[in-house]
Amino acid sequence: MATSNAVPNLADRKRPMTREEKRVILASSAGTIFEWYDFYLYGSLAAIIGAQFFSSFPEATRNVFALLAFAAGFLVRPFGALFFGRLGDLIGRKHTFLMTILIMGASTFIVGLLPGYDTIGWAAPIILIALRMLQGLALGGEYGGAVVYVAEHAPHGRRGFFTSWIQTTATLGLLLSLMVILSVRTFVGEDAFKAWGWRVPFLLSIFLLAVSVWIRLQMEESPAFKKMKAEGTQSKAPLSEAFGQWKNAKFALIALFGLVAGQAVVWYTGQFYALFFLQTILRIDMFTANVLIAWSLILGTVGFVIFGSLSDRIGRKPIILAGCVLAAITYFPVFKTITSIASPALHAAQQNTKVTIVADKNDCSFQFNPTGTAKFTSSCDVTKALLARSSVNYSVDYQPGAIPAKVKVGDAEIVAYETTKLSGDDVKAVPAAFAKAVNEKLAAAGYPAPGKAGEGAVKVEGFFGVFNGQAFPLVLILTYLVLLVTMVYGPIAAALVELFPTRIRYTGMSLPYHIGNGWFGGLMPATAFAMIAQSGDVYYGLWYPIVIALMTVVLGLLFVPENKDKDIFADDTR
């Protein structure tokens, strides 16, 4: 690769990319895939990890703590964006995301070696959470570095196409993690996988780390940064310049609310919430759900490059906002269709059986519990949570003084219990008896047993078992959701890069991206489940991504500039 500090002029940037420049772009994308692989491994294995590192707690509690440790990685991503974004604008893109891959890879490998709670006690979960936070910090710096590096090498007029390869990396990293997990699980068997096999995907990351470091050591620094450094024009205080000056800070806000927030919820709905919906709401077994999602990712990932390239011709904004609009319009019919195909018994019960809770409104809470630490013990809350966990569609008839709450399943009526009048072991015994009575009535009405998908639910035997009359239509529907993801995510890297000058580009684009994806997107499962429990409608949680997507459409139309033809180096001469 040439080491000249000169940034090509506008005419030169319109030329096709050289072979060496393409190698740089592809190498950057490959390293980022490995980072996402490391990050997603934990989320895919959260339940098994919970049993290893939080074994002193009951199963439900240990799962909550395992998910909390996963969430810690999302919550610290904006801080990683600030820390590594500042470094990237001060010392360079190459050295900064070489640091991020080392931190991510080493943290993941150590998780594979870390003894469980039964061996070293409380040190195990504490170290695990610290490693998760290191992963989140590293990921917070990784994305911005890779995107800026690629964009600053890309020829003018093709930034959308070349940065779209970076956009494929999150999906490919998720797919790679799912494929490795499925392969190891199949090879060693379910029992061995739960006992020790789960460590293998983490340990294998050391090979990915070695390849990634080798790749990145071969890279040259961004020519734009080298020129800026040679001329002494780089920012001395990127954080204050990016967010302390309104002329730049306003673009961070525009990026967050007019682009990234909507992109984040569509992205998480199409990939993570779809998997959550199959497993948690429809009770499809883990193997089948993972295979269905994996095939949708395989078929849909090409959309990132297609829409990234299209954005070079018609603009970033029209494609991103169109993806948000399509998502808002189609989410309800799409997820209802998924239910009807994947779990026909559950769908029939939802359609044919009327379930009503009679309760005092003051006895009911909004069960938003992202940390898993809140306790909802009133008769109304326990009843709502019970029905939500059983994927029951119900309505609520609020009546003053209706304490304890009652459940009506068709013509049958079951009275809940009043927690305040109970103590000790009775508190545990009565909910179990109440749940048993409710579940018996639901089963008589056609609802599947708790934790089961029900008769006729989709099931896949083997990775290539999706080509049948029930599974393949689901793959196509899930692929549509992935294509929506590619519409909003494919062009967004170029759109963010074009909002900020070179001197603060790494810092400026990283923070809104990671707040949007780490917080708006990361909170979706907890928010959606709370909305389901509150409303009694298993599809009601979809209003969360729909409302945020529509907000982004409105703000994006009003405030986001279209910069596809912008010379991103023009500000460097000032």
Side-chain angles (χ1 to χ4, degrees):
M1 181 89 188
T3 57
S4 172
N5 289 338
V7 175
N9 60 38
L10 188 60
D12 193 32
R13 285 198 299 273
K14 291 182 179 180
R15 63 169 172 77
M17 257 198 172
T18 67
R19 180 178 177 183
E20 287 301 303
E21 288 171 330
K22 290 179 181 178
R23 183 181 64 83
V24 167
I25 306 306
L26 293 176
S28 180
S29 300
T32 310
I33 290 174
F34 300 154
E35 286 244 3
W36 283 108
Y37 166 84
D38 290 348
F39 192 75
Y40 287 138
L41 274 183
Y42 185 98
S44 300
L45 298 173
I48 294 175
I49 290 174
Q52 295 286 331
F53 293 95
F54 302 98
S55 56
S56 63
F57 297 100
E59 181 178 357
T61 305
R62 78 172 67 130
N63 288 341
V64 165
F65 280 114
L67 291 172
L68 277 176
F70 182 58
F74 284 95
L75 295 175
V76 300
R77 278 169 57 178
F79 300 101
L82 289 173
F83 178 77
F84 289 108
R86 177 178 178 273
L87 283 182
D89 284 326
L90 287 174
I91 68 172
R93 288 55 163 131
K94 172 186 172 179
H95 294 94
T96 300
F97 68 51
L98 184 59
M99 292 171 57
T100 62
I101 194 72
L102 285 168
I103 294 171
M104 176 69 80
S107 300
T108 303
F109 181 71
I110 293 171
V111 170
L113 297 175
L114 185 62
Y117 183 90
D118 293 340
T119 304
I120 61 174
W122 276 101
I126 291 173
I127 295 172
L128 177 69
I129 292 173
L131 292 171
R132 281 295 302 156
M133 295 181 74
L134 283 173
Q135 286 182 318
L137 288 170
L139 187 58
E142 166 64 24
Y143 177 82
V147 164
V148 169
Y149 186 80
V150 169
E152 290 178 350
H153 278 86
H156 183 78
R158 302 201 72 192
R159 280 191 299 270
F161 173 70
F162 283 101
T163 58
S164 69
W165 289 100
I166 292 293
Q167 302 309 89
T168 69
T169 60
T171 296
L172 292 176
L174 172 60
L175 177 62
L176 181 61
S177 68
L178 291 177
M179 296 296 289
V180 172
I181 290 169
L182 289 172
S183 299
V184 175
R185 188 191 297 266
T186 302
F187 184 76
V188 305
E190 193 65 29
D191 292 338
F193 187 82
K194 290 180 179 178
W196 59 268
W198 65 270
R199 296 181 180 274
V200 174
F202 288 93
L203 296 175
L204 288 176
S205 69
I206 195 66
F207 298 105
L208 302 180
L209 173 62
V211 172
S212 299
V213 171
W214 179 81
I215 288 173
R216 293 191 174 187
L217 285 173
Q218 312 307 309
M219 294 180 178
E220 294 288 342
E221 181 55 85
S222 157
F225 183 85
K226 288 194 292 185
K227 175 179 182 294
M228 187 173 60
K229 184 177 181 180
E231 295 174 350
T233 57
Q234 73 263 40
S235 175
K236 301 298 187 294
L239 291 179
S240 60
E241 186 173 344
F243 308 117
Q245 299 177 16
W246 177 243
K247 67 177 182 178
N248 294 320
K250 67 180 180 182
F251 286 111
L253 292 174
I254 289 171
L256 175 58
F257 295 106
L259 290 172
V260 183
Q263 166 261 301
V265 295
V266 174
W267 191 66
Y268 274 80
T269 302
Q271 295 186 171
F272 288 102
Y273 188 72
L275 182 60
F276 171 87
F277 187 82
L278 287 170
Q279 292 181 328
T280 306
I281 304 298
L282 304 186
R283 308 296 182 183
I284 305 303
D285 69 90
M286 180 184 295
F287 180 84
T288 297
N290 282 334
V291 168
L292 292 173
I293 293 295
W295 272 105
S296 71
L297 296 177
I298 291 171
L299 295 175
T301 296
V302 67
F304 289 111
V305 179
I306 291 173
F307 288 115
S309 180
L310 183 62
S311 75
D312 287 327
R313 295 193 291 274
I314 69 172
R316 327 298 184 200
K317 191 164 90 167
I319 298 174
I320 295 171
L321 299 188
C324 289
V325 170
L326 282 174
I329 293 172
T330 61
Y331 272 167
F332 278 115
V334 163
F335 278 85
K336 288 179 180 179
T337 303
I338 289 173
T339 301
S340 67
I341 297 174
S343 185
L346 175 62
H347 179 71
Q350 291 174 344
Q351 297 294 112
N352 300 327
T353 304
K354 183 178 180 180
V355 180
T356 306
I357 297 175
V358 180
D360 189 310
K361 195 167 188 176
N362 295 324
D363 194 41
C364 304
S365 306
F366 183 63
Q367 299 181 36
F368 180 65
N369 192 18
T371 64
T373 55
K375 302 296 182 184
F376 302 102
T377 57
S378 71
S379 63
C380 176
D381 290 343
V382 171
T383 303
K384 283 186 173 184
L386 171 64
L387 295 180
R389 284 194 298 270
S390 299
S391 304
V392 176
N393 271 354
Y394 62 88
S395 60
V396 183
D397 180 11
Y398 291 114
Q399 296 183 7
I403 302 176
K406 294 183 292 186
V407 182
K408 295 181 179 180
V409 182
D411 295 329
E413 183 175 284
I414 309 103
V415 179
Y417 59 92
E418 192 172 357
T419 310
T420 55
K421 294 183 179 179
L422 302 169
S423 62
D425 291 339
D426 288 339
V427 176
K428 298 178 181 177
V430 174
F434 172 61
K436 182 173 183 286
V438 172
N439 288 329
E440 287 176 349
K441 296 299 182 184
L442 291 174
Y447 272 95
K452 304 294 183 181
E455 184 178 354
V458 64
K459 186 170 182 61
V460 171
E461 301 291 346
F463 187 74
F464 292 96
V466 298
F467 298 102
N468 62 60
Q470 186 177 19
F472 192 63
L474 284 172
V475 169
L476 295 180
I477 295 170
L478 293 169
T479 300
Y480 166 74
L481 293 177
V482 173
L483 289 175
L484 292 180
V485 173
T486 66
M487 287 186 71
V488 299
Y489 200 57
I492 204 164
L496 292 175
V497 163
E498 291 159 352
L499 283 173
F500 299 94
T502 305
R503 55 191 285 116
I504 57 166
R505 183 169 292 136
Y506 200 148
T507 304
M509 68 158 291
S510 292
L511 185 62
Y513 174 84
H514 286 289
I515 289 178
N517 284 277
W519 294 359
F520 278 92
L523 288 175
M524 185 179 172
T527 306
F529 194 81
M531 294 171 69
I532 289 170
Q534 178 71 12
S535 66
D537 183 348
V538 297
Y539 306 104
Y540 193 75
L542 294 171
W543 280 114
Y544 175 79
I546 287 172
V547 169
I548 293 177
L550 291 177
M551 173 198 74
T552 290
V553 171
V554 173
L555 296 179
L557 285 172
L558 292 175
F559 299 109
V560 174
E562 179 54 69
N563 291 323
K564 75 177 180 68
D565 296 320
K566 179 181 179 180
D567 178 4
I568 63 171
F569 304 103
D571 291 334
D572 300 345
T573 59
R574 296 177 183 177

